[in-house]
Amino acid sequence: MIERYVWDLRDADETQVAVVGGKGAHLGGLSRIDGVRVPEGFCVTTDAFRQVMAEAPSIDDQLDQLSRLDPDDREAVRRLSAQVRRTIEGIAVPDDLAAAITRALGRLGEQAAYAVRSSATAEDLPTASFAGQQDTYLNVMGRAEILRHVSRCWASLFTERAVTYRQRNGIDHRTVRMAVVVQRMAFPQASGVLFTADPVSGNRKVATVDAGFGLGEALVSGLVNPDVFTVRDGEVVAKTIAAKQRAVQALPAGGTQEVAIDAQQQQQPALTDAQVVRLVELGRRIEAHFGRPQDIEWCLVDDDFRIVQSRPITTLFPVPEAGDQENHVYVSVGHQQMMTDAMKPLGLSMWQLTAMVPMHAAGGRLFVDATRRLSSPAGRAALLDVMGKGDPLVRDALETVLDRDDFVPSLPDAVPGRPAAGGAPAPIENDPAVVKELIERSRASVAALERDIRTRTGPELFDFLLEAFDEHKRVLGDPLSVQAIMAGMDATWWLNDKLQEWLGEKNAADTLTLSAPDNITSEMGLALLDVADVIRARPEVVAFLQDVEDEDFLGELAKVAGGAEARDAIEGYLDRYGMRCVGEIDITRPRWSERPTTLVPVLLDNVRNFAPGAAARRFEEGRRKAQEKEDDVLARLRALPDGDRKADETKRMIDRVRTFIGYREYPKYGIVSRYFVYKQALLAEAERLVAADVLPAKEDIFYLTFQELHDVVRSHQVDGRLVQQRKDAFRAYQALTPPRVLTSDGEAVTGAYRRDDVPAGALVGLPVSVGTVEGRARVVLDMAEADLEAGDILVTTFTDPSWSPLFVGIAGLVTEVGGLMTHGAVIAREYGLPAVVGVAQATRLIRDGQRIRVHGTDGYVEILP
């Protein structure tokens, strides 16, 4: 019979986390796997914890206070969590519970030594391991000591580190319960950790084993460096044997102690190669049982492995499902689109349905399978050329994979490549009317969408949207539009290549493209300066905006002196640009029209940092610099041998780049404009589902795919558990960093800059906008929290078009993600900002407020003393 308070471990399995906690559930599951030996034991259930917590009414007030603390207020967290632990440890174990534990000890041997281990319900989960957040006590002997350490395990639910971890992961303290695992002690010759996937690279076909002498606490606590073995395909392929000077061993009377290792033994491996291979085979069996890579704690007792814990490796980036066993190479879409944040399921599926190529979802991000193109010589050359111009790190990562001769298959040329940059320009005339026509086509298409969608509801809406997606792709793939984009990009590359060859000047096109016409994104930043002009002249409006918190502030603004004019200016701006937002490729992200407070800090910065008429002056200044650069370049070329020909060719390319480079930004504007129309229609449908009691909240549709939402609208039924699972998964995905390149083995390939022309200590990146600037670094992760002064240098993870309003007020730009032709780079050049993108971990290596020097011509950043 299973008791309420005490379960034998063999009675538990992975479905009973709520009763025995994560560790207990995994140990129960492990004990059921053929060939896996788990030390005997029992679990004190969460019902016991619940009863003990009820014995202390003051706990409720303490948890209320704890939940209100800022996780960064470490002193307050430390003080209050210690108070909660003291309260729990002071509660006497109820008699019926003590009796149940005593009976369990009697069955296993009351005089034996035990490990007493915390097992929280939010522990060893697929999305959050909570490794090391609660406590384990080894070699505990005697009934009284075991009861005392059970109480200590309950209290360890509120260690400072556990409390902070939960708060940072959005987990309510009240929803987590603590069970306690009590197991017979194993007294091993060696112990350690097995990862069934490489925890650094993510490669699922590589296992790593860390091993040391004695109990595993020596490794976990960092007392010794472990031996490290790497295993692939049943063979040890690499190993490092450490000098293991110390170990932790059990004491005869209970507890543990550090001991010195005999000098002759220190350099000996803790395991033989054969034992390592046998351990990995055991790990693969455990991995197969749980269905995902595992972090396994093991002990070696008399040449027999005992498994004392297994948890999922939660830091691995998921691998796209391919449906076959072939090798695949995936390239990140987010790094091309300058949006590497996790996307919600509706956002992922909408982008997949409207994209021009098939895309695969994994970890809340999208990837393109590049294997086919990489397998043929022409396709490979063309892809590497394009990737190299956009993001050298992607190219290097792909070349790293290609260097492994056996990974990408070799096929005959089946995918013809585009001519390399610098070759024949795209067959399109240098006619500004082409751009005007394309912009008008896009506007007409969006207007037709807005008109035709108004009357569609229910299943009919989804049928209409599927047709609209076809139109979406038709506009995006318009051959004339593609020609115009490529004409501007090819001309840029031609100018940079030829002017460096002829004049020794790097990235000359950066200056030649200043204030190019028809750039909707740069116009967006300048237009907000015009709105600031309206506000600046009205002090009451400025004062009102400084205290704005409510998204409905525009209605109240009209009641302030001069507020009607300010409201009209803001609403006019939102009419044209309100469909934009940070991370705008995800349809679920709040748009400026939905959250206009996002723009208020930027507006106030513009009011403070600029004089009236700044937009027109900046545009004219850029146009003048571009003209001066053109005159200078052409004059210098004519002085060269064959100079007239070179100057004439260059003039044609300058005209070409100024005609077409601004249009580079318009297709994205058209996509986002259409997305906003789709979103408004889907949210209206969601409101009807809420009114019909099908959904509790309209935002729940964001956690369904487009097809799933279609099914819900048809059936008026939704799986609430699926929605909750998707919410939990999304929260976990947010903590992951997507790789630029990912293989089907799970290996995240980051790429590297192969350069030797950078000063020691400098941060290397990609030069995308010429010039050198020195100033204060402002590390900004949320546009709504930007507080910029003139001369500041913006440092952030990525900048999509929505960040452009910030660009008018800064002196330089540094991003972690980006390429030569991504939106942030284009707008940095448009505004004449020195910029370096693709700087790995820039937001961590550069501290907010530090002085830095950005070398936009040469592609590196110096942190100044």
Side-chain angles (χ1 to χ4, degrees), residues 425 429-432 487-496 498-499 502-503 505 507-517 622-638 645-662:
E429 295 298 320
N430 276 9
D431 184 359
M489 293 170 67
D490 281 337
T492 299
W493 293 328
W494 189 97
L495 287 167
N496 282 336
K498 292 300 184 182
L499 294 181
W502 292 337
L503 299 176
E505 188 164 341
N507 300 325
D510 293 1
T511 306
L512 293 166
T513 55
L514 290 172
S515 296
R623 193 200 61 76
R624 179 182 55 78
K625 285 181 177 178
Q627 185 60 56
E628 290 174 354
K629 185 68 172 179
E630 177 181 333
D631 295 342
D632 172 63
V633 163
L634 295 179
R636 289 160 61 197
L637 286 172
R638 289 194 175 95
R645 178 188 63 80
K646 292 173 179 174
D648 289 346
E649 286 184 17
T650 300
K651 172 60 176 169
R652 282 196 300 275
M653 285 300 180
I654 291 174
D655 290 346
R656 193 167 187 76
V657 81
R658 292 195 65 79
T659 297
F660 293 113
I661 200 65

Side-chain angles (χ1 to χ4, degrees), residues 785-851:
E785 296 177 2
D787 181 14
L788 300 168
E789 301 285 349
D792 284 348
I793 297 170
L794 175 63
V795 180
T796 190
T797 49
F798 60 81
T799 59
D800 59 11
S802 70
W803 287 75
S804 299
L806 291 183
F807 283 24
V808 298
I810 59 176
L813 173 70
V814 179
T815 70
E816 295 181 350
V817 177
L820 190 62
M821 283 297 171
T822 48
H823 299 276
V826 171
I827 303 308
R829 291 193 290 273
E830 182 77 12
Y831 288 162
L833 300 175
V836 180
V837 302
V839 180
Q841 298 188 357
T843 59
R844 300 177 192 176
L845 298 174
I846 300 172
R847 294 196 309 274
D848 186 56
Q850 277 186 315
R851 288 195 68 78

